[in-house]
Amino acid sequence: MLQQTRVAAVVEHYQNFLIKFPTLVSLALAADDEVLAAWSGLGYYRRARMLHKAAQFIVAELGGVLPTSSVELRTLPGVGEYTSAAIASIAFGESVAVVDGNVERVLLRLTGRSEEPTAAGRAFLRRVAQELVPPAARPAPARTPDRNLAERNLPARNLPGEHNQAMMELGATICLPRSPLCLQCPVHGLCKTRGEHGTSPRAKLRSREVAFLLSVRKRGITTQVLLSKRPEEASLMPGMYELPPLPLDAGGDELSHREPLLRVRHAITSTNYYARVYAPMGPMDKALRRAVPVAKADLNWVNTSALGQIPLTGLARKVLQRLDIMAVKPLRGPEPEVESPTRPVRDIVVDLDEDHDSF
């Protein structure tokens, strides 16, 4: 969960995930949508799918027993070099280096080497990182009466796991990408760059404008919102639920005379999405729904009380929470404000017609 995701956003998701899936078997037996719903809000949903597949593989092929070595762990779906090393060292004490972006930055600064996004550059970092990892602890000697009582009560040390966690923490909290806290660094005296090293130019984020429909209706005392399910074969967030998209080209004339209910920016991988959200002007305004280029079978009315139980895209979740349609669970960290309403948010038009079928 922590890969490319802030700790503050992970803590509550992690706790709830373990409550919902306390064992490998419970995760393996869960439905895909159930796993994605528990992951919803963290992004990078391929991680959730691969975690689910790995649990199923362990239960079906390995008798429900998780491998303990980095080599064996890499046979699991979705588990690569970084993840296998992290699990093997932190959970099982294997002397194998964990190299993430934070560790790379620490090593480059310590050695004075410029960033080199090549096979040779990566091999250098892996070699240096591995040389620094302590050896695995030897099995503890048998407890005999002649051993000192205090020594007998000492917990077993996992030096490789502690080292890897310390390296990642050093990069995440002290050796920062910008304005590193060099005077607080425990290895400041060994550093050849004092926080400066050559880096490769980063690719600029692309920008894309998108528009979505917000349609809400009442069924008795229940409030429902119209959502679209992304195709299972989609390259980005397959099978996730989102607000129905509105075309900016073909639907341009329809949107040109309307004021968006909300404007919001949302970043996904290398793209900044600048989204505009439109709502009907009244119960008889069906023009926006007719402009939605999604098959009727892929449109679903979802109770607002159940929004937390389905796999929502991060953008849909952000919009629904900002408009108080979906409950917001407090996280342990501030969430930056990125939306810029063009004017005070107007009241959302609630469709009271329970039998309309014209999309």
Side-chain angles (χ1 to χ4, degrees):
M1 286 184 176
L2 284 172
Q3 288 179 284
Q4 302 185 49
T5 306
R6 295 176 300 106
V7 173
V10 165
V11 173
E12 186 176 5
H13 279 85
Y14 175 73
Q15 294 170 340
N16 292 338
F17 199 90
L18 289 186
I19 292 172
K20 195 170 188 65
F21 311 113
T23 64
L24 278 171
V25 173
S26 63
L27 178 58
L29 295 177
D32 290 344
D33 281 0
E34 193 178 3
V35 176
L36 289 174
W39 197 277
S40 183
L42 290 174
Y44 296 95
Y45 296 100
R46 183 178 180 277
R47 298 178 300 180
R49 290 187 172 91
M50 289 297 101
L51 180 63
H52 191 202
K53 289 182 182 298
Q56 293 172 332
F57 180 86
I58 293 170
V59 170
E61 304 293 335
L62 304 179
V65 179
L66 181 70
T68 60
S69 74
S70 58
V71 173
E72 293 173 314
L73 285 163
R74 290 199 66 174
T75 64
L76 302 180
V79 175
E81 183 177 14
Y82 163 77
T83 304
S84 62
I87 297 172
S89 65
I90 297 172
F92 303 112
E94 181 180 339
S95 182
V96 58
V98 175
V99 182
D100 67 353
N102 289 316
V103 174
E104 286 184 3
R105 186 170 56 255
V106 170
L107 295 177
L108 288 172
R109 287 174 174 171
L110 281 173
T111 60
R113 188 181 178 109
S114 296
E115 185 178 25
E116 186 182 346
T118 63
R122 290 189 291 272
F124 169 80
L125 290 173
R126 286 196 298 268
R127 178 175 60 78
V128 174
Q130 187 60 48
E131 290 173 353
L132 295 174
V133 182
R138 296 179 180 177
R143 294 187 176 183
T144 57
D146 59 333
R147 287 182 61 199
N148 181 278
L149 178 62
E151 181 184 353
R152 280 186 280 148
N153 290 330
L154 283 176
R157 294 287 302 276
N158 177 3
L159 296 181
E162 291 176 8
H163 168 85
N164 282 328
Q165 291 181 81
M167 288 289 288
M168 291 187 285
E169 191 74 2
L170 178 62
T173 62
I174 302 294
C175 196
L176 305 172
R178 297 182 180 85
S179 303
L181 307 177
C182 294
L183 296 181
Q184 300 179 31
C185 181
V187 293
H188 178 263
L190 303 176
C191 186
K192 292 185 177 181
T193 63
R194 300 297 193 270
E196 299 294 335
H197 71 288
T199 59
S200 302
R202 297 292 187 262
K204 293 184 178 180
L205 286 176
R206 294 171 294 178
S207 296
R208 182 183 171 191
E209 291 193 7
V210 292
F212 296 94
L213 167 67
L214 178 70
S215 185
V216 181
R217 75 177 184 183
K218 296 286 285 188
R219 277 187 176 267
I221 61 173
T222 301
T223 303
Q224 298 180 324
V225 62
L226 186 65
L227 296 178
S228 169
K229 188 172 184 180
R230 295 178 61 83
E232 294 295 341
E233 63 274 11
S235 59
L236 190 64
M237 296 175 291
M240 305 286 287
Y241 286 88
E242 64 180 353
L243 293 173
L246 290 169
L248 289 174
D249 43 9
D253 293 340
E254 183 58 49
L255 300 181
S256 61
H257 67 279
R258 297 175 183 266
E259 188 73 14
L261 182 68
L262 180 71
R263 294 180 185 269
V264 62
R265 179 182 66 81
H266 188 71
I268 301 178
T269 60
S270 60
T271 304
N272 268 325
Y273 290 88
Y274 293 89
R276 287 177 272 164
V277 182
Y278 294 88
M281 295 180 179
M284 302 306 295
D285 182 7
K286 310 295 184 183
L288 286 178
R289 244 182 289 166
R290 286 195 290 267
V292 172
V294 176
K296 182 178 175 180
D298 293 324
L299 292 171
N300 302 269
W301 288 103
V302 178
N303 293 348
T304 55
S305 59
L307 289 172
Q309 302 167 28
I310 63 173
L312 281 173
T313 66
L315 178 54
R317 176 182 294 271
K318 180 181 291 185
V319 169
L320 293 172
Q321 289 181 340
R322 297 284 165 84
L323 295 176
D324 293 327
I325 295 173
M326 182 179 182
V328 180
K329 292 184 178 181
L331 295 176
R332 303 184 184 182
E335 196 68 23
E337 291 291 331
V338 294
E339 82 276 13
S340 54
T342 56
R343 59 192 175 94
V345 176
R346 57 185 169 86
D347 292 338
I348 300 171
V349 175
V350 177
D351 196 335
L352 298 177
D353 178 10
E354 298 184 2
D355 298 314
H356 51 11
D357 290 321
S358 58
F359 295 101

